[in-house]
Amino acid sequence: AAKGPAPHLRRSGGAATVKTMLLEWCRARTRGYPHVDVQNFSGSWGSGLAFCALLHSFFPDAFDFAALEPTARWDNFALAFATAEERAGCAPLLEVEDMVRLPVPDAKCVYTYVQELYRCLVAKGLVKTKKR
């Protein structure tokens, strides 16, 4: 049985395939959101809006995405992480201060957090996975 942070994403091909699948999932969930263009696990997440869009796609009543500003990075990250914890039960693996300290977030940190969010959403039944 697959183990790890996102066991439902395990397929033959290893970690690179899982990473690609998770990136595609993020792209699909955030497509159409203004100021969000997920191309990677680093710069695409710098404003905090990608996190907000991903969460808003599951919890549209949690906040008004249209009211968010790309330049309000601290507020965007704080909103996203609080929503993930409250609505999805996602552990607060990232600190807002760590995310805004650098203009481009650390890809490994973002990837790990997105894996955990995915796992929590699967556990809540909000993401359907293919059964083997």
Side-chain angles (χ1 to χ4, degrees):
K3 297 198 184 311
H8 302 289
L9 288 177
R10 296 280 181 224
R11 302 283 185 273
S12 60
T17 303
V18 172
K19 194 171 191 175
T20 300
M21 290 173 63
L22 195 59
L23 188 62
E24 288 300 323
W25 174 75
C26 291
R27 250 188 222 134
R29 293 298 310 197
T30 61
R31 191 170 287 122
Y33 279 87
H35 308 292
V36 176
D37 183 20
V38 175
Q39 296 298 319
N40 53 47
F41 284 110
S42 57
S44 297
W45 303 81
S47 71
L49 287 180
F51 286 111
C52 289
L54 188 56
L55 287 153
H56 190 262
S57 75
F58 287 98
F59 309 107
D61 62 326
F63 55 87
D64 179 8
F65 186 88
L68 303 180
E69 292 292 331
T71 55
R73 295 178 67 219
W74 199 97
D75 294 333
N76 296 337
F77 285 118
L79 176 63
F81 298 159
T83 303
E85 190 172 5
E86 292 165 14
R87 298 286 183 107
C90 187
L93 300 178
L94 298 177
E95 295 287 333
V96 174
E97 289 76 15
D98 294 337
M99 297 302 291
V100 297
R101 190 168 9 114
L102 301 170
V104 177
D106 180 79
K108 289 179 185 172
C109 292
V110 172
Y111 176 59
T112 300
Y113 186 84
V114 172
Q115 278 185 310
E116 176 65 8
L117 178 59
Y118 181 90
R119 188 193 63 74
C120 291
L121 292 167
V122 167
K124 287 196 164 291
L126 296 171
V127 173
K128 304 299 181 219
T129 60
K130 294 179 183 175
K131 302 291 182 206
R132 290 190 180 190

